[in-house]
Amino acid sequence: MELYDPSGRIGYLLWQLSHAYAQRLEQALRPLGLTQAQYSALVRLSLDGALSGAELARRCGVTAQSMGTAVQHLLERDLVERHPHPTHRKIIEISVTPSGEALALSGERAVDPCEREALEPFRPEEREEVRAHLQRMLGALNPQALGPVGDR
């Protein structure tokens, strides 16, 4: 077997890219007192409505334990609330509060410069193609992260 330069491997490139982008997101969200998982949860709940903790974790691409920690902090700040599922008594759903939705919008504004920086190397007509290719890759590896099936 022959060794390959890792910079030619998709996994290596995605890993490096995700870490570089995650650092920028963390810096952008810090003034709002949000982690990436918390921000992701607020956005997903704002877009998708109430979800169980497990489903929220799947859609945000984090472990259930990480999402549990994120949700606990959001609960303490009254940004989300928990309530029983309307038909499945054993399921507890999480929904975003109006202040949580407002903070999700502030988060969107805070991360916009990160998006612009990441897409800077591409011509305007290439940017949607890059986004579409990344969504296809994500759809192959974690389709739940793209939202409800009906939205795809």
Side-chain angles (χ1 to χ4, degrees), residues 71-121:
V71 166
Q72 186 57 43
H73 289 287
L74 296 173
L75 282 164
E76 290 167 4
R77 293 175 63 188
D78 295 321
L79 299 170
V80 298
E81 53 194 16
R82 287 184 175 145
H83 46 84
H85 187 279
T87 58
H88 300 289
R89 299 232 180 251
K90 291 186 179 185
I91 297 176
I92 301 297
E93 288 188 322
I94 303 157
S95 59
V96 68
T97 64
S99 57
E101 275 193 43
L103 190 56
L105 285 171
S106 294
E108 285 291 289
R109 287 189 292 276
V111 301
D112 273 347
C114 302
E115 177 106 351
R116 284 193 301 277
E117 180 186 9
L119 292 172
E120 165 64 32

Side-chain angles (χ1 to χ4, degrees), residues 12-117:
Y12 177 84
L13 293 170
L14 289 172
W15 183 74
Q16 289 289 339
L17 180 61
S18 72
H19 284 326
Y21 196 73
Q23 288 175 341
R24 284 162 175 79
L25 287 178
E26 184 180 309
Q27 290 171 352
L29 293 170
R30 189 175 296 133
L32 300 175
L34 289 174
T35 65
Q36 292 174 61
Q38 293 166 354
Y39 164 69
S40 237
L42 291 176
V43 170
R44 277 274 58 110
L45 293 168
S46 295
L47 293 172
D48 301 347
L51 298 169
S52 71
E55 182 61 21
L56 182 58
R58 282 190 290 274
R59 292 191 191 181
C60 292
V62 299
T63 65
Q65 183 178 4
S66 293
M67 186 51 68
T69 301
V71 166
Q72 186 57 43
H73 289 287
L74 296 173
L75 282 164
E76 290 167 4
R77 293 175 63 188
D78 295 321
L79 299 170
V80 298
E81 53 194 16
R82 287 184 175 145
H83 46 84
H85 187 279
T87 58
H88 300 289
R89 299 232 180 251
K90 291 186 179 185
I91 297 176
I92 301 297
E93 288 188 322
I94 303 157
S95 59
V96 68
T97 64
S99 57
E101 275 193 43
L103 190 56
L105 285 171
S106 294
E108 285 291 289
R109 287 189 292 276
V111 301
D112 273 347
C114 302
E115 177 106 351
R116 284 193 301 277
E117 180 186 9

